Amino acid sequence: MANTPFQLSLQTSEATPPAQISTSSLTPPVTPIAKERHQTSSPFQDIQPSQSLTAPKPNVTAPLYFTNDLELIRNGDNRPVEFGRGAWSIVYKARSTPSTQQITNTLTNNPSTPPSSPVTTTRILAVKAPVRRDARPVLEAEALTLTRLTLTKGHEPYIVPFHGTHSDLGGLVMTAIPLALSTYIEDQADIARTRQPATPTMFDPVQGPASYKDLTRKLIAGLNWLHQVAGMVHGDIKPHNILLRLVDADESEIESGATSAFPFEPLFADFSSAVDIPDDPSVPLDTTRASMSAFTPPFTAPEMLASLTVTTGDVAPTPASDVFSLAATLLAAATGDLLLYPGTSNMQRLAMARQGHQIIDLTRSGSSGHRVPRNGFVEKLVKPAVVKDPAMRISTGDWIELASS
């Protein structure tokens, strides 16, 4: 029996925006500790190190809604195909075609002229739906965040494409990008293990130095855009929340050798823990969303982990905590180890993560630590981003220059 498509529409509503609530990531984190109480050009084309919030943020009072019919793809057992799931949400694989009303309008407006492209073109999408009723406000808040980011200039190379929200399912409709940086890191580590351990490449990042450097530049440029242009703190940066979109290179680029050493665009995803950066620096960040976050050692800044033991007040993620989280992600990409810390238990690794300013030395003591040689590129890149005092961590603008040196 054919699946009945869901009717969706692209519009904005005058409804009051939902409360700013956040939750854990879509992909199950390495060790979740819940707190109680398509552009192919250079990523630096539009973002300069000194660029700041010069334009007002888009005033978003309601999320975008999707225009097309949507149908969940099912397997042979008639179960919806899943891309992944987490504590609050499930990501389903879906297909989309223009709605019946759209096709009717197209034919009515052009009764004698066939459309230039088929109006029944099918797209494969990802639908992030709540796994339980109390998760709906969480995704509604994320839909508002994604709407504002989507309306911000220059977002295409940096965030997962967002197409709107599904009112019946309460789900977020996004472009399907099945490959996460976490999976890529594990694959590259498996390939590296097949090589002889004494080869000259044993001190290089697992994916190779040129590819790694290109990845770092793209990720730091994306974080710089997020902070300096969009005015947003991600709040939960880790390899699982970065999706990889294959770069389309034309034949001239391939022949000239101008293709990117890293063949993907890394896109930030899962903004359920995101908070706005106030235009006025004297205004503190909103902590209401941080109170429902799930922290993921070893990618969480130590000051955020310290807040787990605090009984009063909430600690919101900051630009500095994002910088730390991305630095830890870059260490994982270099070593091929998503755990980073060499402890034999989750509690041991959590204790090490609380001393995150020592993350380089602690990572170096692990089995893959030889890929972080002293005074090498990885150490020089990560060291200023993980200092103990968040106020002293490198800014994203200076970090871009360091990654390009």
Side-chain angles (χ1 to χ4, degrees):
M1 180 176 178
N3 298 319
T4 303
F6 295 103
Q7 288 289 109
L8 304 171
S9 59
L10 177 58
Q11 60 184 4
T12 58
S13 167
E14 297 301 325
T16 302
Q20 296 293 309
I21 302 176
S22 178
T23 183
S24 59
S25 79
L26 166 66
T27 304
V30 178
T31 309
I33 305 293
K35 184 175 181 179
E36 296 180 0
R37 336 175 266 145
H38 178 349
Q39 178 180 350
T40 59
S41 57
S42 167
F44 310 107
Q45 177 174 318
D46 298 318
I47 307 301
Q48 300 300 322
S50 60
Q51 189 169 350
S52 61
L53 288 167
T54 57
K57 299 175 184 177
N59 183 21
V60 175
T61 59
L64 293 173
Y65 289 90
F66 197 52
T67 53
N68 294 358
D69 291 339
L70 187 69
E71 178 186 4
L72 299 183
I73 295 175
R74 298 177 180 271
N75 59 22
D77 296 328
N78 201 33
R79 295 179 179 273
V81 177
E82 298 179 12
F83 282 127
R85 63 168 59 204
W88 295 85
S89 58
I90 303 176
V91 178
Y92 294 111
K93 185 177 182 180
R95 63 171 61 92
S96 167
T97 58
S99 66
T100 303
Q101 185 62 46
Q102 285 181 303
I103 297 173
T104 300
N105 291 342
T106 300
L107 296 178
T108 300
N109 294 334
N110 302 278
S112 61
T113 304
S116 57
S117 60
V119 294
T120 57
T121 300
T122 299
R123 288 189 300 170
I124 300 299
L125 299 171
V127 180
K128 182 178 181 180
V131 73
R132 60 194 198 208
R133 183 173 300 177
D134 59 352
R136 282 185 175 244
V138 175
L139 297 192
E140 289 170 359
E142 185 178 1
L144 284 176
T145 297
L146 285 168
T147 297
R148 186 166 80 72
L149 291 174
T150 300
L151 296 176
T152 302
K153 181 181 178 181
H155 69 277
E156 293 86 355
Y158 305 122
I159 67 168
V160 59
F162 174 63
H163 303 295
T165 188
H166 187 298
S167 57
D168 291 335
L169 288 177
L172 312 181
V173 183
M174 297 165 285
T175 295
I177 305 175
L179 180 60
L181 179 60
S182 55
T183 301
Y184 176 84
I185 289 172
E186 291 176 326
D187 290 345
Q188 294 301 308
D190 288 341
I191 294 172
R193 279 191 286 269
T194 64
R195 305 189 187 107
Q196 292 297 324
T199 61
T201 61
M202 67 180 296
F203 299 107
D204 294 337
V206 291
Q207 68 193 83
S211 178
Y212 177 78
K213 288 181 179 180
D214 196 38
L215 168 63
T216 63
R217 290 191 290 263
K218 289 179 176 180
L219 282 172
I220 295 171
L223 187 61
N224 185 63
W225 175 87
L226 192 64
H227 289 174
Q228 301 300 327
V229 180
M232 184 76 67
V233 174
H234 185 282
D236 192 20
I237 293 176
K238 58 186 177 183
H240 312 74
N241 287 344
I242 297 170
L243 304 181
L244 302 181
R245 178 171 62 194
L246 189 64
V247 172
D248 294 326
D250 59 34
E251 293 183 4
S252 61
E253 288 178 317
I254 296 174
E255 292 174 358
S256 64
T259 54
S260 171
F262 183 68
F264 300 95
E265 284 180 329
L267 307 174
F268 289 108
D270 197 336
F271 287 87
S272 58
S273 296
V275 295
D276 283 332
I277 300 175
D279 294 329
D280 184 350
S282 65
V283 176
L285 271 70
D286 182 14
T287 63
T288 57
R289 300 190 69 174
S291 63
M292 291 188 66
S293 297
F295 298 95
T296 310
F299 303 103
T300 302
E303 65 271 16
M304 298 295 294
L305 292 175
S307 72
L308 292 172
T309 61
V310 177
T311 57
T312 59
D314 291 316
V315 177
T318 65
S321 65
D322 268 0
V323 166
F324 181 96
S325 296
L326 184 57
T329 295
L330 296 178
L331 269 179
T335 62
D337 186 359
L338 294 176
L339 296 178
L340 280 177
Y341 298 107
T344 58
S345 69
N346 289 339
M347 293 305 297
Q348 284 183 326
R349 286 189 288 269
L350 175 60
M352 293 180 186
R354 292 183 188 275
Q355 303 298 317
H357 62 286
Q358 301 178 22
I359 189 172
I360 295 175
D361 290 334
L362 293 170
T363 298
R364 191 177 281 134
S365 66
S367 60
S368 301
H370 54 87
R371 297 194 181 277
V372 189
R374 298 187 183 279
N375 299 317
F377 177 79
V378 177
E379 182 184 60
K380 291 179 179 179
L381 184 71
V382 171
K383 190 173 183 178
V386 297
V387 294
K388 187 174 184 178
D389 183 357
M392 299 302 294
R393 289 178 195 150
I394 192 169
S395 68
T396 53
D398 291 339
W399 212 8
I400 287 177
E401 293 184 348
L402 180 61
S404 302
S405 63

